[in-house]
Amino acid sequence: MSVRFLTAFLKSSGDGGVVLLENEGEQRTVIVEREALLEFASPRRADECRLQQSIGPICEIAAAKLKQRTIGPYERIRIRGSDVVNWKHTAEIPFQDRI
């Protein structure tokens, strides 16, 4: 399964981010909750910079959710803080070396 990053931006409300991916020729929307952005690194921030720094892990988490097939073909993928915590615990490479 090949997931390709297209673009990312912070919502104007500041309560999270949106990432667009391409998967098997279809565009997928990933909603990154504010709590997820806060979990990615220290110091805890939920801003445009943190979103851009976290694109790699966001794509990995989204690809894992797509692989599980719990997401319908037109559903948005939602990344929560708990998803990031789980990703940190299962990552093969230490988290601090990934960002």
Side-chain angles (χ1 to χ4, degrees):
M1 175 185 310
S2 175
V3 174
R4 187 171 69 97
F5 169 74
L6 298 175
T7 190
F9 55 90
L10 199 64
K11 291 181 182 180
S12 59
S13 63
D15 65 348
V18 177
V19 177
L20 297 179
L21 303 175
E22 185 178 286
N23 177 53
E24 297 177 357
E26 295 179 348
Q27 211 175 67
R28 303 303 299 240
T29 302
V30 179
I31 304 299
V32 183
E33 293 183 354
R34 185 177 198 285
E35 292 76 22
L37 289 174
L38 291 170
E39 288 292 335
F40 274 112
S42 183
R44 292 170 50 94
R45 292 191 330 248
D47 58 13
E48 183 74 28
C49 183
R50 179 68 77 220
L51 176 66
Q52 297 299 329
Q53 289 173 338
S54 304
I55 291 300
I58 289 169
C59 290
E60 286 182 34
I61 294 168
K65 286 187 171 217
L66 285 168
K67 190 174 183 180
Q68 293 171 357
R69 300 280 185 212
T70 58
I71 306 295
Y74 300 105
E75 286 182 68
R76 292 178 177 164
I77 301 166
R78 184 167 300 275
I79 297 180
R80 296 176 169 83
S82 60
D83 296 321
V84 177
V85 170
N86 291 338
W87 176 84
K88 284 182 186 180
H89 286 95
T90 60
E92 294 176 15
I93 301 171
F95 180 71
Q96 59 272 17
D97 295 340
R98 302 184 97 178
I99 292 196

